[in-house]
C-alpha cells in the first residue's frame, strides 16, 4: 500500500494509517521509518502501537517537505511477541509531492527615479 503526501513546500501533511486486529489477543507493533528520506517523515505519537483484540487503531504519519523533489520512505510495522502471539509484519510505501509554493514573506518595492 502507498500513502501519498501532497502539499505546499515547507508545509506539514498528516496522514492516518488504520490498523485492525481481527484476533482475540492484543497485538503490539514497533513502527520504524526507513529509506532515503525517512528523516522528513515522523511518527508524532511514538514508535509503539498497541491494538486491542477485535479493535482497530490509527497512527499518524507526518511529512514536512524541505525540497521540491519527491521524498520516499517506508513505514515498517514489526510485531512484538505478546503471550506467544505475533502479528504479520506490515509495510507501507510513503511518497510525497510538492503541489505548490507559498511565499513566506511578501515585499513591496518602491523605485524612485
Amino acid at each position: 500500500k502507498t500513502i501519498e503526501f501532497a502539499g505546499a513546500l515547507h508545509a506539514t501533511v498528516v496522514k492516518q494509517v488504520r490498523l485492525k486486529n481481527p484476533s482475540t489477543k492484543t497485538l503490539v507493533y514497533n513502527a520504524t521509518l526507513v529509506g532515503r528520506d525517512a528523516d522528513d517523515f515522523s511518527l508524532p505519537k511514538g514508535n509503539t502501537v498497541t491494538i486491542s483484540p477485535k479493535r482497530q487503531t490509527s497512527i499518524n504519519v507526518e511529512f514536512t517537505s524541505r525540497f521540491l523533489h519527491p521524498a520516499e520512505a517506508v513505514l515498517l510495522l514489526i510485531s512484538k511477541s505478546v503471550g506467544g502471539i505475533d502479528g504479520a509484519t506490515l509495510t507501507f510505501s510513503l511518497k510525497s509531492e510538492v503541489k505548490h509554493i507559498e511565499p513566506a514573506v511578501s515585499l513591496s518595492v518602491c523605485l524612485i527615479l
Side-chain angles (χ1 to χ4, degrees):
K1 173 101 179 152
T2 298
I3 302 167
E4 296 184 8
F5 296 79
L9 183 64
H10 300 297
T12 298
V13 178
V14 180
K15 294 286 186 160
Q16 284 191 332
V17 178
R18 181 170 294 164
L19 304 170
K20 295 180 181 181
N21 179 3
S23 77
T24 58
K25 303 286 185 179
T26 298
L27 293 176
V28 179
Y29 284 95
N30 183 37
T32 305
L33 296 163
V34 296
R36 178 186 76 198
D37 302 306
D39 290 342
D40 294 330
F41 295 88
S42 65
L43 301 165
K45 293 183 180 176
N47 292 358
T48 302
V49 181
T50 303
I51 313 169
S52 299
K54 302 289 184 183
R55 300 290 225 162
Q56 62 184 13
T57 191
S58 294
I59 60 171
N60 289 343
V61 181
E62 288 185 357
F63 169 75
T64 302
S65 61
R66 299 183 298 144
F67 305 106
L68 288 173
H69 70 78
E72 295 181 3
V74 174
L75 170 62
L76 284 175
L77 292 160
I78 301 169
S79 176
K80 293 181 180 180
S81 182
V82 177
I85 301 298
D86 285 327
T89 297
L90 306 172
T91 60
F92 298 89
S93 176
L94 309 176
K95 297 189 180 201
S96 76
E97 182 181 359
V98 174
K99 291 286 190 179
H100 59 282
I101 301 170
E102 294 178 3
V105 177
S106 296
L107 297 176
S108 296
V109 176
C110 180
L111 295 176
I112 300 175
L113 301 173

